Amino acid sequence: MMISANIPALAKARRSNTLWTRLCSMLFALLLLASVGEGHAAGSACPKMPQMSPEMGIISRYYGPSVDATFSTMNPKAVAEQKPVRTRIGGPVVALNRLAAQYAEAESAGRAQVGECITNLVHEMARTDYLGEPRSREDRYFRDWLMVAVLANLLGLDEAQLEGVLDSPTRAWIKQAADASNAFFQSQPVDNHYYWSGLSLVLSAAVLKDRSIEEAGQRVLSRGLAQVTQQGLLPAEVARGKRATHYHLFAAIPLAAMQQLSLIHI
């Protein structure tokens, strides 16, 4: 059974399954987008709308091959320059994470206000075409990571609330991001970035109930699992030299998440 055809089962599983909760927590922590800082209690006014833009501006923080052929050595200057850029771009997702955490913790009767804030925020993402103009490979990688967070948060909503979020512009925005990611990675190496793209596709399919997007995501999963050697290694991540362990873990998260989602047949 396709995940996109089984949203009620997925909703039931995600609300009761500790693995789903841990998966979302790992995703947000990994992306340094955890729900931290002061929040807004359910029943209060929505937080100020964060700045959003289609433009991104992500560049690699690693030294190139002239310094390190394995791309495993961070360039301190690039790290410093990218910090405010990534903070700005990730701001709307930080806001969504906080609201989603409040929504999950609220009693059923108290979710309406937080749900309205989530709806307004996601509609603004769609209206401004947030993340919609990636110009570099790194922009595209970063967009997939952020879209995974957005989509996982949406799947934490009650079904009726989710339907309220998914107006036509929002559906089009999510589908455009999924289609663009799928098209881009047709000509890219099979590595951790490809797997994160696959997870964004699987989650997009679950939100939109789109069979064609899910099939694209399942192809990523199948191709990714086929990369695993008899020793349990991923060749593209082994090639990352001194950061091979880090990138094996980074690659394993989307692969494991896609595999877990593919097993939901409730």
Side-chain angles (χ1 to χ4, degrees), residues 3-263:
I3 298 169
S4 55
N6 203 20
I7 296 301
L10 177 57
K12 179 181 177 182
R14 70 177 180 254
R15 285 194 292 268
S16 62
N17 193 335
T18 301
L19 179 59
W20 177 269
T21 302
R22 289 177 178 174
L23 167 63
C24 290
S25 297
M26 283 192 299
L27 293 176
F28 302 152
L30 183 65
L31 295 174
L32 301 179
L33 294 172
S35 301
V36 296
E38 294 186 4
H40 295 258
S44 66
C46 296
K48 180 180 177 181
M49 194 69 70
Q51 177 186 358
M52 301 184 206
S53 171
E55 295 84 12
M56 298 180 67
I58 300 296
I59 62 171
S60 176
R61 295 176 297 176
Y62 288 102
Y63 282 115
S66 63
V67 173
D68 183 353
T70 67
F71 293 91
S72 61
T73 303
M74 288 281 195
N75 178 342
K77 183 178 182 217
V79 170
E81 290 175 348
Q82 278 288 287
K83 185 175 181 179
V85 175
R86 296 179 184 223
T87 298
R88 171 184 58 80
I89 296 170
V93 180
V94 171
L96 179 59
N97 288 347
R98 291 172 177 162
L99 289 169
Q102 293 163 23
Y103 183 91
E105 293 167 1
E107 298 293 334
S108 297
R111 287 181 168 179
Q113 175 64 55
V114 183
E116 181 180 350
C117 295
I118 290 172
T119 298
N120 293 341
L121 177 57
V122 177
H123 284 179
E124 184 68 6
M125 289 178 175
R127 188 191 71 78
T128 60
D129 194 25
Y130 175 55
L131 309 175
E133 295 182 8
R135 294 174 181 170
S136 66
R137 289 181 306 170
E138 289 77 17
D139 276 346
R140 289 171 171 82
Y141 303 157
F142 206 75
R143 177 173 65 177
D144 282 333
W145 299 334
L146 294 183
M147 288 304 296
V148 164
V150 169
L151 296 161
N153 278 321
L154 292 184
L155 287 172
L157 301 176
D158 294 331
E159 190 172 6
Q161 184 68 56
L162 178 58
E163 286 304 310
V165 172
L166 294 176
D167 62 358
S168 294
T170 301
R171 288 179 177 275
W173 173 69
I174 293 171
K175 187 175 188 325
Q176 190 278 332
D179 289 344
S181 181
N182 185 35
F184 173 72
F185 277 96
Q186 296 303 309
S187 60
Q188 297 301 302
V190 180
D191 60 9
N192 66 86
H193 301 298
Y194 180 65
Y195 309 145
W196 281 98
S197 170
L199 181 56
S200 75
L201 294 176
V202 170
L203 293 174
S204 295
V207 168
L208 299 176
K209 302 181 184 180
D210 188 305
R211 184 178 293 268
S212 65
I213 294 176
E214 184 173 358
E215 289 173 347
Q218 291 298 323
R219 286 194 292 272
V220 174
L221 174 60
S222 296
R223 195 175 179 194
L225 293 177
Q227 302 302 304
V228 181
T229 68
Q230 291 184 344
Q231 293 75 35
L233 300 174
L234 294 164
E237 314 316 324
V238 171
R240 293 303 295 268
K242 62 188 177 185
R243 291 185 66 82
T245 299
H246 167 85
Y247 276 103
H248 269 86
L249 294 172
F250 192 66
I253 291 174
L255 286 173
M258 285 189 284
Q259 178 67 11
Q260 179 67 21
L261 289 168
S262 73
L263 298 176

